[in-house]
């Protein structure tokens, strides 16, 4: 099914297998060609491997199918940006923000598009020669697609460095000593760079020097110029930040180890320390929330999840991280739920998580919550006493021949006590009076399912089938009811009526209109269709017309004659 293919596509996308994701999304689109979400997902997958033309085609289809969906314009803007259509990208992001003014992804995309647009329209006096390599969403797509840099995207300090370079490419010089940045630069430029600075190059790094040429007067005034302190201070600050981030990562690893050992208190201590050291990585907060969830401290879990979402919005963190926090919050709310109303809040949170990232686990939790809510609603509404009162009201309206009003009360009775076959039986009678025969048949069958010994169910079902002119089936229903009450007069009368109608057909007493109608109904019966398509029965029918001796032999076979009788009753075969 389309949902299964979509779930496989989402899982492949999350694992970085974008080609497989495209295959699965394509399969889902073939099964559900009007689902705008599928085109949106495939557009993202195409963009991740640099196929921006295909990404643009799918993004445009998304917008065509769902013009009021902001995320579609985010896909459209990203595709245009990848193709260097900066004006179109800006227009797309602006259209999306008209629909959802607070959408952070659209705001970020618009900022990138406008920056690229400005760069394309005029020369930058002090632009970094590698600036274009870091512009737009294609930077992240290339780093994700390359196996040598994909793992770095899970390291918050690396992500923050790349964000800083993207905001101001001139800051690249601050991070050139980091081997990961050099590796990423090589991927973005499409070449292999050395990840270690040669000693000769280190020696040539420019530094403030008092030997610069100055006018004579200036040399007299400042014979020994003092070095500028700013670069040194920036370097120390960067070094301190890196050290704090490294310590935070070690605390996180210690917390993970404690969590696996079920030492939850120790895990919380490590995660809390990591949060103090580095407040730019929300995974520390979501991990602590997971511990609180395991401990049953649901309020603390929800508080951490809210903090992670808020901080993640500020940092423009990965949508998957935001979705993870929302999913854990929804899980905590579902654990705390005691009524159907409580589950509504959890369901809303799960739905928000899915808008951030379509994750199969979150989808399953949403389905489980909706199922639990429905079950609780039924339990909360269950009241046999009120059900009996509503059924009696329905009986009164039935006697007054006010059948729609009777249906309303019987329906309420069923909601109050869905296990009572009497309400289904009575509503089936109403539907029969209103000529709503399919609904009446469904209620009669439900009645028999709840209580196979309840004879009224068979009389209701038989009556509906009789009015539908399915006389063979009606007679079988009446006969089944007689097994439970052999002297029931309604069932006996029903059998008699069915036999009369069947015999009319056998004798050829039907009018041409009645015969034509019976034949049309018979041809719709799957059992009749199977008989007519059976090669053996086709030969039997031919023998009845052309070979009397063979026909006599066939008549000795009870199975064959039973099928022939069905064809006669259906008006397909006529006996003269």
């Amino acid at each position: 099914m389309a949902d299964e293919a979509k779930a496989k596509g989402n899982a492949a996308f999350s694992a970085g297998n974008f080609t497989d994701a495209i295959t699965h999304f394509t399969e889902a689109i073939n099964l559900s060609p009007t689902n705008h979400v599928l085109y949106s997902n495939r557009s993202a997958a195409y963009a991740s491997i640099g196929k921006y033309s295909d990404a643009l085609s799918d993004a445009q289809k998304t917008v065509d199918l769902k013009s009021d969906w902001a995320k579609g314009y985010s896909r459209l803007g990203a595709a245009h940006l990848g193709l260097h259509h900066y004006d179109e990208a800006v227009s797309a992001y602006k259209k999306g923000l008209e629909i959802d003014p607070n959408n952070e992804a659209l705001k970020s995309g618009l900022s990138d598009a406008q920056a690229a647009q400005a760069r394309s329209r005029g020369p930058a006096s002090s632009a970094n020669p590698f600036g274009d390599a870091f512009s737009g969403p294609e930077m992240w797509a290339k780093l994700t697609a390359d196996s040598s840099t994909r793992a770095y995207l899970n390291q918050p300090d690396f992500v923050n460095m790349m964000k800083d370079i993207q905001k101001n490419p001139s800051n690249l010089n601050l991070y050139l000593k980091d081997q990961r940045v050099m590796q990423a630069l090589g991927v973005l430029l499409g070449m292999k760079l050395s990840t270690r600075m040669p000693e000769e190059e280190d020696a040539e790094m420019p530094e403030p020097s008092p030997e610069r040429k100055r006018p004579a007067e200036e040399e007299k005034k400042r014979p020994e110029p003092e070095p500028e302190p700013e670069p040194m201070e920036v370097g120390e600050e960067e070094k301190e930040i890196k050290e704090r981030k490294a310590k935070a990562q070690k605390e996180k690893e210690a917390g993970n180890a404690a969590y696996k050992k079920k030492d939850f208190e120790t895990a919380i201590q490590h995660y809390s320390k990591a949060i103090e050291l580095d407040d730019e990585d929300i995974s520390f907060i979501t991990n602590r929330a997971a511990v609180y969830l395991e401990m049953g401290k649901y309020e603390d879990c929800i508080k951490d999840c809210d903090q992670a979402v808020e901080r993640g919005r500020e940092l423009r963190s990965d949508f998957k991280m935001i979705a993870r926090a929302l999913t854990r919050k929804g899980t905590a709310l579902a654990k705390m739920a005691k009524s159907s109303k409580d589950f509504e809040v959890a369901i809303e949170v799960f739905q928000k998580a899915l808008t951030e990232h379509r994750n199969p686990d979150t989808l399953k939790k949403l389905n489980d919550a909706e199922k639990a809510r429905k079950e609780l609603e039924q339990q909360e509404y269950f009241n046999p006493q009120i059900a009996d009162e509503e059924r009696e009201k329905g009986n009164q309206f039935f006697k007054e021949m006010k059948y729609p009003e009777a249906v309303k009360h019987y329906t309420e009775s069923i909601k109050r006590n869905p296990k009572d076959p009497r309400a289904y039986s009575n509503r089936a009678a109403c539907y029969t009076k209103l000529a709503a025969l399919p609904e009446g048949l469904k209620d009669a069958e439900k009645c028999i399912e709840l209580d196979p010994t309840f004879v009224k169910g068979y009389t209701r079902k038989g009556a509906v089938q009789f009015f539908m002119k399915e006389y063979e089936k009606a007679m079988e229903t009446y006969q089944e009811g007689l097994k439970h009450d052999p002297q029931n007069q309604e069932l006996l009368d029903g059998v008699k009526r069915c036999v009369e109608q069947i015999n009319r057909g056998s004798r050829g007493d039907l009018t041409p209109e009645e015969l034509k109608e019976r034949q049309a109904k018979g041809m719709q019966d799957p059992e009749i269709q199977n008989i007519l398509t059976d090669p053996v029965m086709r030969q039997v029918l031919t023998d009845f017309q052309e070979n009397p001796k063979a026909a006599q032999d066939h008549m000795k076979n009870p199975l064959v004659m039973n099928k022939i009788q069905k064809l006669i009753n259906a008006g397909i075969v006529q006996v003269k």
Side-chain angles (χ1 to χ4, degrees), residues 52-268:
Y52 295 109
S53 295
D54 293 326
L56 178 61
S57 176
D58 276 356
Q60 188 60 57
K61 183 68 174 178
T62 303
V63 173
D64 292 342
L65 289 172
K66 188 73 172 173
S67 59
D68 60 346
W69 193 46
K71 196 168 187 177
Y73 294 97
S74 179
R75 301 294 192 212
L76 190 62
H80 278 305
L81 196 56
L83 292 169
H84 305 295
H85 302 161
Y86 303 128
D87 293 343
E88 291 84 349
V90 169
S91 176
Y93 285 126
K94 285 183 176 180
K95 285 182 181 178
L97 286 170
E98 289 175 6
I99 298 170
D100 185 1
N102 298 318
N103 190 298
E104 293 297 333
L106 287 167
K107 290 180 182 178
S108 176
L110 178 60
S111 177
D112 291 338
Q114 288 174 333
Q117 185 184 52
R119 288 195 299 271
S120 69
R121 289 179 176 173
S125 59
S126 60
N128 187 289
F130 303 129
D132 289 342
F134 299 96
S135 63
E138 58 265 31
M139 179 190 82
W140 301 108
K142 289 180 180 179
L143 295 179
T144 303
D146 194 281
S147 60
S148 66
T149 55
R150 186 182 304 142
Y152 296 160
L153 297 178
N154 295 323
Q155 301 173 12
D157 61 326
F158 173 77
V159 173
N160 290 332
M161 283 190 287
M162 297 306 293
K163 287 181 178 179
D164 188 33
I165 295 171
Q166 193 174 43
K167 289 179 182 178
N168 185 0
S170 298
N171 289 341
L172 174 63
N173 294 330
L174 300 176
Y175 305 110
L176 284 176
K177 291 185 179 180
D178 192 303
Q179 295 183 5
R180 297 171 298 173
V181 174
M182 290 296 295
Q183 182 74 27
L185 181 59
V187 170
L188 295 174
L189 295 177
M191 61 180 68
K192 186 174 182 181
L193 298 179
S194 172
T195 57
R196 184 176 184 274
M197 295 289 289
E199 292 181 4
E200 293 78 11
E201 292 183 9
D202 285 343
E204 294 174 2
M205 289 294 287
E207 294 186 9
S209 171
E211 302 301 324
R212 292 179 184 170
K213 293 182 180 180
R214 297 182 177 85
E217 297 83 4
E218 190 174 341
E219 288 289 342
K220 291 179 181 178
K221 291 180 181 178
R222 299 180 58 191
E224 295 183 3
E226 297 180 1
E228 299 179 4
E230 288 77 13
M232 184 61 69
E233 292 176 358
V234 172
E236 291 295 332
E237 183 180 350
E238 289 293 334
K239 182 178 180 182
E240 182 181 352
I241 291 173
K242 285 185 178 181
E243 289 177 353
R244 290 176 65 87
K245 288 182 178 295
K247 289 179 181 178
Q249 285 296 327
K250 289 182 179 179
E251 291 291 342
K252 177 184 177 181
E253 292 171 3
N256 293 344
Y259 178 83
K260 291 177 181 179
K261 295 177 182 178
K262 303 293 183 181
D263 187 357
F264 298 134
E265 292 294 346
T266 302
I268 288 174

Side-chain angles (χ1 to χ4, degrees), residues 304-338:
D304 267 3
C305 290
D306 286 338
Q307 180 186 348
V309 171
E310 181 180 357
R311 185 62 176 144
R313 301 283 191 211
E314 294 173 358
L315 297 170
R316 294 185 180 180
S317 298
D318 188 351
F319 293 140
K320 294 176 185 177
M321 294 296 294
I322 304 293
R324 183 180 300 170
L326 289 169
T327 298
R328 284 181 180 161
K329 178 181 178 180
T331 304
L333 289 168
K335 294 280 188 182
M336 295 171 64
K338 296 180 180 178

Side-chain angles (χ1 to χ4, degrees), residues 553-571:
D553 294 335
H554 292 316
M555 293 176 66
K556 296 176 184 178
N557 187 331
L559 293 178
V560 171
M561 287 309 299
N562 183 46
K563 293 181 179 180
I564 293 292
Q565 187 61 48
K566 288 183 182 294
L567 294 177
I568 293 172
N569 296 338

